[in-house]
Amino acid sequence: MTKRKILIIEKASELFAENGFNATSVQDITDACGISKGAFYLSFKSKDSLLFSIFEYFSSKLMNRMSGISDYKVNSKERLVLFFSIQFEEIARYSDFILMHMREQTNPINKEMMGIVNEMRQKTYEMQENLLIDVYGEEIQQHMPDLLVLLSGVVKGYIEIIVFNKDVLDYDGLARFIVERTDSLVMGLSEPFLKSEQLVGYNRVGSDLLITTKMLIKDIELLKLEITDDDLLVSLDVIQLELSLQEYRKPVLTGMMSNLENHVVTEKVLLKMKLFLGM
């Protein structure tokens, strides 16, 4: 993302939070950024597309910060504390913008937006699962869906306080409090209640409406970094190129997908492709 786009995103998010989305004009944004309208439209097609980019930008920042937890030279429980505290810090930083978006019901959730939401949910579950196993051991794997739902509900409750009440909380202290409660939850586990397939976004995709070509291309790019098989790489290259077209050809995609069958490493991408194409 260019410096100009980041500038527009950050200034616009401040203006939207302060004045509201509908009351903020493109002229207001360009004045705040010190750029022309022409420069604005070179970066964004419209104010609506800018709003989507703000959401995407904030989501990426949050995911990048949480992904960097593994770089901290602390023990596994401290990493779990960081996982929660980072979420609270980022939500608090943009709470005014989030509240504005909720109140004005701007830019109703569409296919692309749902794609980002689903991708965030899945990545968050994956990171949280790894952290929980590091802290409590492999034996809690069977309880993971229940744990993720319980912790998600707790975290959501505190996020609502941060956003709606505008209370400045001790986010590190709150994260430690939640980890202590997690200790208690783990100690009280008996028989699992939920199965993994009942939890949307947990090692699966909820529906084809939540998958976008952008998500698939990104997944393919990451997958290619793990693969050394030339035949698989060629098939993935063709699929990626086809998805990047304005109108992809389903027969081409299905033909290349057949080459991905019966390979463990391609299972996830193949499943997403099938759901995306309605197969």
Side-chain angles (χ1 to χ4, degrees):
M1 187 174 290
T2 65
K3 290 183 179 179
R4 180 198 288 166
K5 278 192 172 184
I6 292 174
L7 172 66
I8 294 171
I9 283 172
E10 291 183 342
K11 290 294 184 182
S13 64
E14 293 173 5
L15 290 171
F16 291 158
E18 183 178 351
N19 304 319
F21 177 79
N22 295 322
T24 302
S25 66
V26 171
Q27 187 68 58
D28 293 331
I29 296 168
T30 56
D31 288 346
C33 295
I35 61 173
S36 66
K37 279 191 175 181
F40 174 89
Y41 287 112
L42 283 173
S43 299
F44 301 100
K45 292 180 180 179
S46 64
K47 199 170 70 167
D48 283 338
S49 69
L50 168 59
L51 186 66
F52 176 80
S53 294
I54 291 173
F55 181 80
E56 189 175 35
Y57 175 69
F58 290 166
S59 301
S60 296
K61 283 186 69 177
L62 173 59
M63 298 313 297
N64 288 339
R65 280 199 69 192
M66 290 198 297
S67 297
I69 289 172
S70 58
D71 297 331
Y72 286 82
K73 294 181 179 180
V74 295
N75 63 39
S76 55
K77 185 159 282 192
E78 284 297 315
R79 286 196 181 93
L80 187 58
V81 170
L82 283 167
F83 176 80
F84 291 121
S85 64
I86 285 172
Q87 289 184 70
F88 295 136
E89 288 169 8
E90 291 297 320
I91 291 294
R93 182 173 288 118
Y94 303 113
S95 60
D96 288 340
F97 173 81
I98 294 168
L99 190 58
M100 176 281 301
H101 187 61
M102 294 173 68
R103 283 176 173 169
E104 295 196 14
Q105 294 292 305
T106 52
N107 195 31
I109 289 181
N110 54 27
K111 185 177 179 179
E112 292 293 322
M113 187 76 80
M114 284 302 294
I116 293 178
V117 169
N118 186 64
E119 188 176 17
M120 272 188 63
R121 183 191 294 117
Q122 188 167 353
K123 286 184 177 179
T124 301
Y125 280 161
E126 288 172 0
M127 284 188 276
Q128 190 168 347
E129 178 181 6
N130 290 332
L131 289 167
L132 288 168
I133 289 173
D134 284 345
V135 175
Y136 301 107
E138 291 285 348
E139 56 270 23
I140 68 160
Q141 184 68 62
Q142 62 177 326
H143 299 285
M144 196 59 66
D146 294 308
L147 269 178
L148 292 176
V149 169
L150 289 167
L151 290 174
S152 177
V154 172
V155 169
K156 182 181 177 182
Y158 287 106
I159 286 175
E160 288 178 353
I161 292 173
I162 292 168
V163 173
F164 290 102
N165 296 359
K166 297 184 179 295
D167 286 345
V168 179
L169 304 177
D170 173 5
Y171 303 123
D172 178 72
L174 175 57
R176 293 181 186 282
F177 175 78
I178 290 175
V179 171
E180 289 175 2
R181 303 289 72 75
T182 307
D183 289 342
S184 301
L185 282 172
V186 171
M187 287 178 62
L189 291 173
S190 53
E191 289 298 315
F193 181 75
L194 286 178
K195 297 178 180 179
S196 61
E197 59 267 24
Q198 294 175 290
L199 184 55
V200 175
Y202 177 68
N203 292 333
R204 63 190 283 273
V205 180
S207 82
D208 58 320
L209 292 178
L210 303 183
I211 310 170
T212 66
T213 55
K214 185 176 179 180
M215 284 174 61
L216 288 171
I217 289 171
K218 185 176 180 181
D219 286 343
I220 289 168
E221 288 174 344
L222 293 173
L223 179 59
K224 288 196 297 185
L225 297 175
E226 304 176 19
I227 290 178
T228 56
D229 186 303
D230 288 339
D231 291 336
L232 288 180
L233 285 171
V234 169
S235 298
L236 289 169
D237 282 337
V238 174
I239 291 172
Q240 183 176 346
L241 179 62
E242 195 66 29
L243 288 171
S244 66
L245 300 176
Q246 189 168 4
E247 293 187 10
Y248 61 80
R249 294 165 294 181
K250 187 172 179 179
V252 174
L253 292 175
T254 53
M256 291 299 102
M257 285 165 59
S258 65
N259 298 331
L260 307 182
E261 297 282 1
N262 303 316
H263 294 279
V264 175
V265 71
T266 60
E267 277 182 356
K268 273 192 176 182
V269 165
L270 188 58
L271 172 61
K272 287 186 179 182
M273 286 292 303
K274 287 180 178 179
L275 289 170
F276 176 75
L277 296 172
M279 297 172 64

